Amino acid sequence: MTLACRKLEPHPQSAVHQHAGPWLVWLHGLLGSGEDWLPVAQLCGDYPSLLIDLPGHGKSVALTTRGLADISQQLTATLQANGIREYWLAGYSLGGRIAMYHAGYSNPHGLQGLLVEGGNLGLENDALRHARLQHDRRWAQRFRQEPLPQVLIDWYQQDVFADLNAQQRHQLVTLRAENCGPAVAEMLEATSLGHQPWLLPALQQLRVPFTYLCGERDQKFQQVAREYQLPLRTLARAGHNAHRANPGAFAAQVLSFLSSSSSLPNSSFLS
């Protein structure tokens, strides 16, 4: 099964276009779509980009998944169907978790590097995983049964979105209300942190360049990066959703990472 996606060709005058270089593949967060990445992808226009709609979202709304391993297979099939042999994988929040799982567990052919924005590494014991499953099931029940705008008003009151002001919350509620609540619920349950393995050991064994991006106001995930010595890059004037808040700074960090990594030998980020 392949996922819906949109291709952006590189600028005609770019060196990447002349030499058919690696693609940038973008994975969005829960409630988003591939179009969320369009401003950043356009600013990275020397590279071809693939904007993917994850199951239950965007033009993949009718597609379902059994979990992270299944999505990783769907991602591989989508890359193959689009003739993409070499690629950099970037993901935000849920998309970041999928990207880390794909890089660490699927032995992906052609992966050149990994860029993660505010992705959770997982939970370290069964008690925490069980509690998270219960938490996500309660949200999923609300997404299935209640008017989506009302659920979203409460969703964006969660601590991770504390940097948003009232206008920004209203804009996100309006934008995300275009989703299908039951489809979001299915995806939320299938990809719950309660089902996700602890990803740090797999990340420590990566043989491709890796960077971890956070908004300067995203205290939770900056703390994660520091605690586990992830290769952190911080984005000014941004919170959890840094690529939306400051796409120019985000694109600049992406291009800097690609430039600095392209000449490096493959090695673990902790070596």
Side-chain angles (χ1 to χ4, degrees):
M1 181 187 301
T2 61
L3 301 167
C5 56
R6 176 180 175 182
K7 282 184 173 180
L8 297 180
E9 298 295 338
H11 298 319
Q13 69 275 18
S14 74
V16 173
H17 186 275
Q18 298 297 322
H19 297 96
W23 286 68
L24 284 167
V25 177
W26 306 91
L27 305 179
H28 61 81
L30 190 75
L31 295 161
S33 74
E35 294 297 301
D36 291 355
W37 286 110
L38 187 58
V40 173
Q42 289 175 329
L43 291 169
C44 297
D46 284 347
Y47 293 84
S49 277
L50 190 72
L51 313 180
I52 289 180
D53 288 345
L54 295 172
H57 294 74
K59 294 181 180 179
S60 296
V61 65
L63 302 181
T64 59
T65 188
R66 296 184 297 274
L68 294 176
D70 195 23
I71 296 177
S72 181
Q73 293 175 355
Q74 292 169 331
L75 173 58
T76 296
T78 303
L79 296 173
Q80 292 174 345
N82 285 277
I84 295 175
R85 295 184 177 88
E86 295 185 337
Y87 62 101
W88 299 82
L89 187 59
Y92 160 66
S93 195
L94 169 61
R97 297 199 285 119
I98 294 168
M100 289 186 287
Y101 183 93
H102 180 76
Y105 281 82
S106 69
N107 192 27
H109 179 72
L111 180 65
Q112 304 298 297
L114 180 66
L115 303 92
V116 175
E117 177 191 357
N120 199 313
L121 301 184
L123 302 170
E124 296 185 73
N125 61 63
D126 288 342
L128 291 174
R129 284 188 282 270
H130 177 75
R132 184 56 182 248
L133 281 171
Q134 297 302 110
H135 171 272
D136 287 344
R137 286 167 182 160
R138 287 192 293 270
W139 275 111
Q141 183 177 18
R142 293 194 63 190
F143 277 119
R144 288 189 179 96
Q145 297 179 352
E146 299 179 26
L148 192 52
Q150 181 58 54
V151 182
L152 292 172
I153 288 172
D154 294 339
W155 180 265
Y156 287 112
Q157 293 296 327
Q158 295 181 95
D159 289 345
V160 72
F161 302 113
D163 66 288
L164 299 176
N165 60 37
Q167 180 182 8
Q168 291 169 327
R169 285 193 175 89
H170 176 74
Q171 289 172 342
L172 279 171
V173 168
T174 301
L175 176 64
R176 303 315 190 195
E178 298 177 1
N179 279 282
C180 171
V184 171
E186 290 292 325
M187 184 65 162
L188 176 59
E189 287 186 318
T191 61
S192 170
L193 272 176
H195 295 310
Q196 177 180 305
W198 177 239
L199 295 174
L200 183 63
L203 292 175
Q204 291 171 336
Q205 298 302 314
L206 283 181
R207 310 310 296 176
V208 296
F210 167 47
T211 194
Y212 194 86
L213 301 110
C214 282
E216 66 178 359
R217 296 195 291 268
D218 188 351
Q219 298 301 318
K220 174 180 177 178
F221 286 99
Q222 284 194 56
Q223 176 59 33
V224 168
R226 295 190 179 103
E227 182 175 355
Y228 298 109
Q229 298 181 324
L230 304 181
L232 177 64
R233 289 172 178 249
T234 304
L235 283 297
R237 302 186 304 282
H240 182 55
N241 195 334
H243 71 272
R244 175 178 172 85
N246 196 343
F250 195 96
Q253 289 283 15
V254 170
L255 293 174
S256 171
F257 173 67
L258 297 184
S259 176
S260 63
S261 301
S262 59
S263 60
L264 295 176
N266 290 346
S267 62
S268 168
F269 76 87
L270 291 181
S271 64

